[in-house]
Amino acid sequence: MLESLNEWVLSLGAQYNVNPYVFGAIYIGAIPFFFASIAWLVKRARAGRSTVAPTMLAGFFFVSAYLYLAIFGQDIPLWVWIFLAALIAYGAWSTIRDTRRKIAAGSVEESGDS
């Protein structure tokens, strides 16, 4: 059964010219870099410094697997792009909301310590 699942996944990749294991490796591999970028963003925001670089890096790591799909994928169905756009939009909204909370919590903690 595991072998047939593997064959099915690989056949999808061949159909769309994307290696699903490369996609998965990029997706999983980007997670620690994404969280490190968010931590850097929060630290810089709390210090009142520019957050452009960590925001750009976090965004890149957030969409890196989908960039692979966009660059190398062929004949990807429209519904996949719509689904991915919805996932990215929700993820971005959620990340922005949580990051703002972390920044605000740091400001409260800092003002409470003085």
Side-chain angles (χ1 to χ4, degrees), residues 7 11 26 30 35 40 42 44-45 48 55-56 63 65 68 71 73 78-79 87 103 106-107 112:
E7 288 177 20
S11 73
I26 294 170
F35 283 124
W40 184 30
V42 169
R44 289 184 66 88
T55 301
M56 296 297 287
V63 299
Y68 168 74
I71 292 169
L78 180 62
W79 71 265
L87 281 177
I103 293 168
S107 298

Side-chain angles (χ1 to χ4, degrees), residues 8 12 15-16 69 75-87:
W8 176 72
L12 284 176
Q15 179 180 353
Y16 299 119
L69 183 65
D75 300 323
I76 307 294
L78 180 62
W79 71 265
V80 172
W81 293 116
I82 293 169
F83 180 73
L84 290 177
L87 281 177

Side-chain angles (χ1 to χ4, degrees), residues 23-100:
F23 179 87
I26 294 170
Y27 192 89
I28 300 298
I31 292 171
F33 296 105
F34 171 75
F35 283 124
S37 298
I38 293 296
W40 184 30
L41 186 156
V42 169
K43 182 178 179 179
R44 289 184 66 88
R46 286 180 182 169
R49 298 176 68 198
S50 172
T51 59
V52 173
T55 301
M56 296 297 287
L57 280 174
F60 171 75
F61 292 124
F62 188 75
V63 299
S64 59
Y66 307 116
L67 288 174
Y68 168 74
L69 183 65
I71 292 169
F72 295 104
Q74 296 175 343
D75 300 323
I76 307 294
L78 180 62
W79 71 265
V80 172
W81 293 116
I82 293 169
F83 180 73
L84 290 177
L87 281 177
I88 290 170
Y90 174 74
W93 172 77
S94 176
T95 300
I96 290 167
R97 181 191 64 207
D98 293 346
T99 303
R100 285 182 177 165

